[in-house]
Amino acid sequence: MACGDINWWRAPDLKGLLARHGQIEHLIIQFDFLVQLLRDPRAEFSIPRASKTEPGKSTGYADIVAIASNEIWEIKPKHLEAAAVNDAAHYVGFAKLGCSPDWLPGKSYRVSDWAKAEYGAENVVYRAEAEGMRYELVCEQGAPGAAIYHWRVNGKEQGALDNAMGWAVRGKVVFDYFGGQRPAPIKDQRAPNNIPPIKFKPPVLSPDACIPILQPLLATLQKTMTKTCTQYVMEGGGIAVLLEEAAVNAIYGAANVARAVESMRVQTNPQVEFARALQLALGGAGTSYGIPFAMWLLGYAVVVACEFGAPAAAPAATPAAGGAAAPAGAELLAMYTTAMRSMAARVVTTASTTLVAVAVPRLSQAAAGKPAAVDLFPVKFHPLKPREMALARTGQIYNLGGADHYIVGLASPFG
């Protein structure tokens, strides 16, 4: 068997997950690691002749591997850090012989950005709560090659969960990850047995799972999702496409405002005029830094998709085809460019990344009729566990990082 060449998933062994220490923790930590796209991550990575029970004869399986940096980790409870270091060194040695000479024990383990946003804490990969109780699974980098975990109960570190609460918490994990499936019979307990018992598949955003305003940008959103979020999702899970509440209000709330304006025979709201000016200015702007290749006006907002590469000079406002730039266009475009650059510095992770955002011009409070700024709201992607995916619907409010967002699309595993 070659390096990384294995169908390592198994039928769900829920009894084993509930009863055995380690399996459920491995599942959660490996799932969190696999959404860290820039690592080119793998779980249960096969290494020729690296079996710990039959070294030199059978294939071994490293818990988590980063192809991008040639790092290998073993996942162990905190008190078994030394064993994790030894196991990782074992796999590194055989990987150097059977894969390539560049492998080394992992030193850069961290939890994913989406876990930090979900739980609002460093190193927390899962949380289960009941009245007066909070259980958190914490994982962090240990000595080279060791990804070590422990449970934290109401903020206090606890090496292992007691039997009664262990069953309850693991039952909650099973419910979240498997949607309440009935436990399957245990047929095979041969090594390796503490591995994720479900498949990971590429996520696909389909038109019927996306709000109409984003359907013209499905291909762009798909490209952005796989470059900035994850290439694979857990079978039964998915990806929530999110927009902040203010952006959704700027898009959909404008229709109600327009009807009210018409009924009162009042001039068009200047914020809408500014949005039109921004659209016109963007239509004539071209730059090697960001080329707006998809955009349209919706109420107070302009939805744009830009491809980012190497930084270049800010674009100048030039007339769009068929007309001159609006008076506020140049000023708005300068604000847009500054905001887009700032956002790209935080969001864009690789060259030629496509960033989709909603641009909402803001009125000046000091000088009526002048634009004050352009607020940018990026389309965000958030992995969902199977139970979360089963309950998710477009239009629902989803709290991410303390801010309310709306689900505007759902990507499901392909196949």
Side-chain angles (χ1 to χ4, degrees), residues 380-392:
K380 300 176 183 178
F381 305 95
H382 189 68
L384 299 177
K385 295 186 282 290
R387 183 60 184 172
E388 294 172 323
M389 185 66 177
L391 299 175

Side-chain angles (χ1 to χ4, degrees), residues 123-250:
N123 302 325
V124 174
V125 290
Y126 182 79
R127 178 181 293 155
E129 293 183 278
E131 186 174 354
M133 302 296 291
R134 172 182 286 189
Y135 292 84
E136 295 174 315
L137 179 61
V138 177
C139 190
E140 54 197 349
Q141 175 70 50
I148 54 175
Y149 67 82
H150 64 271
W151 285 95
R152 194 162 62 197
V153 181
N154 290 342
K156 295 182 64 176
E157 182 175 329
Q158 190 165 319
L161 301 178
D162 61 73
N163 290 337
M165 295 312 300
W167 273 86
V169 173
R170 288 182 175 87
K172 174 66 165 55
V173 174
V174 168
F175 188 71
D176 286 342
Y177 279 75
F178 302 103
Q181 296 180 43
R182 291 184 178 179
I186 301 175
K187 297 180 180 179
D188 186 357
Q189 291 185 321
R190 291 174 298 176
N193 59 8
N194 56 343
I195 59 177
I198 49 181
K199 300 179 182 179
F200 286 83
K201 297 182 177 182
V204 174
L205 187 62
S206 60
D208 59 350
C210 190
I211 63 174
I213 64 163
L214 293 182
Q215 289 180 5
L217 283 180
L218 279 182
T220 302
L221 289 169
Q222 181 75 37
K223 178 181 178 182
T224 306
M225 178 173 61
T226 55
K227 279 198 172 186
T228 62
C229 182
T230 180
Q231 292 175 324
Y232 299 99
V233 293
M234 182 178 289
E235 186 176 42
I239 303 290
V241 184
L242 303 172
L243 262 179
E244 286 188 49
E245 185 178 25
V248 175
N249 289 341

Side-chain angles (χ1 to χ4, degrees), residues 12-335:
D13 174 9
L14 303 191
K15 286 183 179 177
L17 287 171
L18 285 169
R20 295 189 67 248
H21 290 283
Q23 278 205 50
I24 208 72
E25 288 85 353
H26 275 67
L27 167 66
I28 295 169
I29 294 165
Q30 287 174 318
F31 172 69
D32 181 74
F33 189 81
L34 285 170
V35 303
Q36 300 179 41
L37 180 62
L38 293 182
R39 291 184 180 276
D40 197 359
R42 301 290 188 275
E44 298 301 326
F45 185 81
S46 59
I47 301 173
R49 299 179 297 161
S51 168
K52 288 182 287 186
T53 55
E54 296 181 305
K57 296 181 180 180
S58 303
T59 301
Y61 306 94
D63 284 340
I64 50 176
V65 166
I67 301 295
S69 57
N70 291 110
E71 292 179 278
I72 294 176
W73 292 267
E74 277 294 284
I75 301 169
K76 297 282 188 187
K78 189 174 182 178
H79 70 281
L80 295 179
E81 180 177 357
V85 171
N86 291 337
D87 287 351
H90 170 87
Y91 288 128
V92 167
F94 278 96
K96 286 178 178 287
L97 293 174
C99 302
S100 74
D102 303 321
W103 293 95
L104 69 157
K107 298 180 181 179
S108 64
Y109 176 83
R110 62 182 182 276
V111 303
S112 67
D113 290 339
W114 77 261
K116 290 179 181 178
E118 177 81 6
Y119 303 119
E122 289 291 327
N123 302 325
V124 174
V125 290
Y126 182 79
R127 178 181 293 155
E129 293 183 278
E131 186 174 354
M133 302 296 291
R134 172 182 286 189
Y135 292 84
E136 295 174 315
L137 179 61
V138 177
C139 190
E140 54 197 349
Q141 175 70 50
I148 54 175
Y149 67 82
H150 64 271
W151 285 95
R152 194 162 62 197
V153 181
N154 290 342
K156 295 182 64 176
E157 182 175 329
Q158 190 165 319
L161 301 178
D162 61 73
N163 290 337
M165 295 312 300
W167 273 86
V169 173
R170 288 182 175 87
K172 174 66 165 55
V173 174
V174 168
F175 188 71
D176 286 342
Y177 279 75
F178 302 103
Q181 296 180 43
R182 291 184 178 179
I186 301 175
K187 297 180 180 179
D188 186 357
Q189 291 185 321
R190 291 174 298 176
N193 59 8
N194 56 343
I195 59 177
I198 49 181
K199 300 179 182 179
F200 286 83
K201 297 182 177 182
V204 174
L205 187 62
S206 60
D208 59 350
C210 190
I211 63 174
I213 64 163
L214 293 182
Q215 289 180 5
L217 283 180
L218 279 182
T220 302
L221 289 169
Q222 181 75 37
K223 178 181 178 182
T224 306
M225 178 173 61
T226 55
K227 279 198 172 186
T228 62
C229 182
T230 180
Q231 292 175 324
Y232 299 99
V233 293
M234 182 178 289
E235 186 176 42
I239 303 290
V241 184
L242 303 172
L243 262 179
E244 286 188 49
E245 185 178 25
V248 175
N249 289 341
I251 293 170
Y252 285 109
N256 296 328
V257 173
R259 284 194 293 270
V261 167
E262 178 62 26
S263 66
M264 293 184 294
R265 299 184 181 275
V266 178
Q267 291 184 348
T268 304
N269 190 308
Q271 190 169 356
V272 177
E273 293 301 318
F274 288 161
R276 289 175 179 161
L278 176 59
Q279 183 191 35
L280 184 61
L282 283 169
T287 171
S288 59
Y289 179 79
I291 303 175
F293 59 85
M295 60 184 178
W296 65 100
L297 176 67
L298 287 166
Y300 299 159
V302 179
V303 182
V304 292
C306 297
E307 182 112 2
F308 284 86
T318 56
E331 193 172 354
L332 280 168
L333 183 57
M335 294 176 181

Side-chain angles (χ1 to χ4, degrees), residues 301-359:
V302 179
V303 182
V304 292
C306 297
E307 182 112 2
F308 284 86
T318 56
E331 193 172 354
L332 280 168
L333 183 57
M335 294 176 181
Y336 162 82
T337 304
T338 300
M340 206 70 175
R341 283 175 178 270
S342 175
M343 178 181 294
R346 301 190 307 271
V347 177
V348 174
T349 54
T350 60
S352 300
T353 294
T354 303
L355 180 61
V356 181
V358 175

